[in-house]
Amino acid sequence: MSSETLLYITIAAITALILALFQYLYKSKLKSHLKYLLTGLRTLSIFGILLLLINPKFESFTYFDEKPTLVLVVDNSESIAYLKQNDKALEIFNTLKNNSELNERFNIESYAFGKTVKTLDSLNFNKRQSNLSLALKQFGEVYNNQTAPILVLTDGNQTYGTDYSYISKSVKQPIYPIILGDSTVYSDLSIKQLNVNRYVYLKNKFPVEIIANYTGNTSINTELKIWSGNHVVYRKALQFDATKSSEIISTSLLANSVGVKTYRVELVALNSEKNTFNNFKNFGVEVIDQKTNIALVYDRMHPDLGALKKAIENNEQRSVSILKPKDVLSKTNDFQLFILYQPDNSFNELLKEIKELNSNTFVISGETTDWSMLNNSQDYFKQTITNQTEDFQPSLNRNYGTFIIDNIDFNSFPPLTSEFGSFKMSVPFEALLYKSVNGIETKDILLSTFEINNTKHAILNGEGIWRWRAQSFLNTNAFNTFDEFISKLVQYLSSNKKRKRLNIDYKSFYNGNDDVIITAQYFNKNFEFDNSASLSIVLKNTENKNTKEIPLLLNNGNYTVDLSGIEAGEYNFTVKHNSESISASGSFKILEYNVEQQFLNADILKLTALAKNSNGEAFFSSQASLLIDQLLQDNRYKTIQKSTKNIVPLIAWKYLLLLIVLSLFIEWFIRKYNGLI
């Protein structure tokens, strides 16, 4: 309580006493001793009221002890079981988790990680991928303001995500890796990396790049082979020794038929080799007959052009040519889709040519769009011309049903600059994105698609889409979300397939450790998305003829099924409606490859460096007791006494109000009883 408040309270007490004395000793003619009792009661009442007006605040402190947190993390991936460390990992985990001294010193919290991080309830070491960097990043964020050393039981072999070597710079907590795995160095051959394009073109040669590694001290000879079925299509003799531990092999293979083609790269194993799973790797390519050619037509340069080209050409099946309107006129027959970026008067002839050819278009408007020309050149849409611009954010129409849209966080995307004024469509259309102003969704169209005279079209009312691609990277550390969105839009616009009530989305082949997710959308007879449909997938392995049926679940506006973990092979599938005769079929291949079986040893060097950079220390699996002793003796992990400061205003103290009322009542009663009122 401040000295100023104390002064006010003193003045209040003196004032209350003076007023009471004036009332009962100076002014009153009362002679009995009651005047002293009444004076006291009046003083108490006035002082209480003045105290409420001053409303002093009182401080109270609550003290408590806070133990540091011990974060216990276990690698739950298949590599732990493959290296025969699963029993050891369980033993160490139970030793640390149940140690009485550690539990007295720390609050122990347990987690397990594979590709994602979860609170630990059981350990089965069956996760097909491991992402240690994600686990450490999340713990660094969650325990950022706490004392929380991180113990990680792992072999250090990460198969997914960014390299964890650099994560210690952003994690403030000490990291203690407990290394699971053999430290003995064996002679071992492995295929470290294989680079190949997913799509190739018929009768073309496609490049294949292989990085072969050798671990060992002796000189060895081996041979690299590339198999197509039972035939060797490429072979090369290789030599390695202590000074030459890797070699890059580059070759080209011929694509001579359309469809998915699978190959197998193999390094002939050494007689003494302990792990031969990392000596081979399967890969696939999809051979297509021709590439989709897209003309991106512009009259002024803009960052949007580069963003669109990058996003579209992320799919190797598509090629984008950025051209001026006059340069397109002589080769309009070469393109399956025309993207018209901010058309002005220079687009007049091209628009007439496109209309005569009955070609598909994607119009993108902006600040320099000549809406007078564009309104007069077609009858599909009209924009009110105001010569003013406005910024609009996108809002996804979740009932959009022309093609499948992933659950993209459009609300986080920056606004696009668009012409201010009403925009009207004069043909049937579907709005993909609405305009949003200050978080309020309008029914004004930002992006829509429509079909007319057997052609497909789209209109985007805004420039600045390059910011969306940048924001996509900030949100997910990759451009994939934006690129796939543009890819699906372009795929729809550049094809002539008719709209169907049941659409499916899948890849033609998956690598062994990929997530195998098939997505579907179902529409009723009015082509409205039906979120109450009962869909299932019938999956058949073409090799062993095994068949199983799995229901599809509604997830973020689409029906999905996760088939990750099924065995390698070729599959046919049918997605069907369980009460209507509607279905869609497809096929895919899963290439045999288990990334968690590619390792022979724990990555001791990286784990040791991780511990050192975070002010922790690395321990081997046989040193659990030494780790416990160090944690107990480390002065950084002492229990801290903390206090909570509570500030309570006097006006919140109900007893003072009761005391004021009681004193006034007693004073009134005495005066009434004695005939003074």
Side-chain angles (χ1 to χ4, degrees), residues 220-378:
I220 60 100
N221 295 309
T222 187
E223 187 178 26
L224 182 137
K225 300 177 183 179
I226 301 180
W227 296 79
S228 177
N230 296 322
H231 303 285
V232 177
V233 295
Y234 177 81
R235 66 199 316 156
K236 182 180 181 180
L238 302 176
Q239 290 183 329
F240 295 103
D241 54 38
T243 58
K244 182 189 176 184
S245 60
S246 66
E247 184 172 338
I248 300 175
I249 302 97
S250 299
T251 186
S252 296
L253 303 177
L254 179 64
N256 50 22
S257 62
V258 175
V260 176
K261 306 300 175 185
T262 57
Y263 299 86
R264 177 186 176 98
V265 180
E266 178 189 3
L267 281 171
V268 177
L270 306 175
N271 293 330
S272 59
E273 200 162 354
K274 189 176 180 181
N275 181 11
T276 58
F277 283 98
N278 57 8
N279 286 45
F280 64 87
K281 192 170 186 179
N282 296 304
F283 71 93
V285 295
E286 185 172 357
V287 183
I288 55 181
D289 199 1
Q290 62 181 357
K291 181 179 284 192
T292 301
N293 295 312
I294 299 160
L296 179 51
V297 190
Y298 76 102
D299 190 53
R300 73 175 180 106
M301 294 300 294
H302 194 280
D304 285 352
L305 301 174
L308 287 166
K309 182 176 173 66
K310 283 282 188 183
I312 296 169
E313 290 187 341
N314 186 52
N315 186 326
E316 294 94 335
Q317 297 183 73
R318 303 187 181 99
S319 175
V320 177
S321 300
I322 303 179
L323 301 166
K324 290 276 191 176
K326 62 181 180 181
D327 299 328
V328 186
L329 287 171
S330 60
K331 40 188 165 183
T332 50
N333 291 320
D334 296 341
F335 302 103
Q336 289 77 51
L337 173 65
F338 295 89
I339 302 178
L340 309 177
Y341 188 77
Q342 302 208 40
D344 55 20
N345 276 324
S346 63
F347 284 69
N348 249 322
E349 292 299 320
L350 177 60
L351 287 169
K352 293 176 183 177
E353 181 75 12
I354 290 173
K355 194 171 185 178
E356 289 179 8
L357 291 172
N358 229 19
S359 297
N360 300 339
T361 64
F362 179 17
V363 178
I364 302 176
S365 68
E367 293 187 35
T368 59
T369 301
D370 187 339
W371 276 109
S372 177
M373 181 278 300
L374 195 55
N375 286 342
N376 293 327
S377 66
Q378 46 76 39

Side-chain angles (χ1 to χ4, degrees), residues 572-607:
N572 295 329
F573 71 90
T574 299
V575 175
K576 64 177 184 176
H577 193 287
N578 292 328
S579 59
E580 293 188 38
S581 57
I582 294 177
S583 63
S585 300
S587 62
F588 60 85
K589 286 184 179 181
I590 296 180
L591 308 182
E592 184 180 357
Y593 180 67
N594 191 324
V595 69
E596 292 289 336
Q597 293 182 356
Q598 304 301 303
F599 308 106
L600 186 63
N601 303 97
D603 199 332
I604 298 172
L605 292 177
K606 284 177 68 173
L607 290 174

Side-chain angles (χ1 to χ4, degrees), residues 627-644:
L627 169 61
I628 293 172
D629 291 339
Q630 181 160 326
L631 290 171
L632 295 173
Q633 295 169 11
D634 198 319
N635 291 327
R636 291 178 294 176
Y637 312 135
K638 288 184 175 181
T639 299
I640 301 172
Q641 187 180 71
K642 292 188 174 182
S643 63
T644 302

Side-chain angles (χ1 to χ4, degrees), residues 302 304 341 365-367 389-395 409-419 433-439 446 460-469 471:
H302 194 280
D304 285 352
Y341 188 77
S365 68
E367 293 187 35
T389 59
E390 184 67 66
D391 288 343
F392 298 98
Q393 282 190 286
S395 178
D409 184 16
F410 281 103
N411 293 330
S412 68
F413 282 15
L416 300 184
T417 302
S418 175
E419 179 85 5
L433 297 173
Y434 290 116
K435 292 179 179 179
S436 176
V437 181
N438 297 325
L446 183 63
L460 174 64
N461 286 316
E463 68 172 80
I465 200 171
W466 68 271
R467 297 189 182 92
W468 288 8
R469 192 167 191 261
Q471 187 63 46

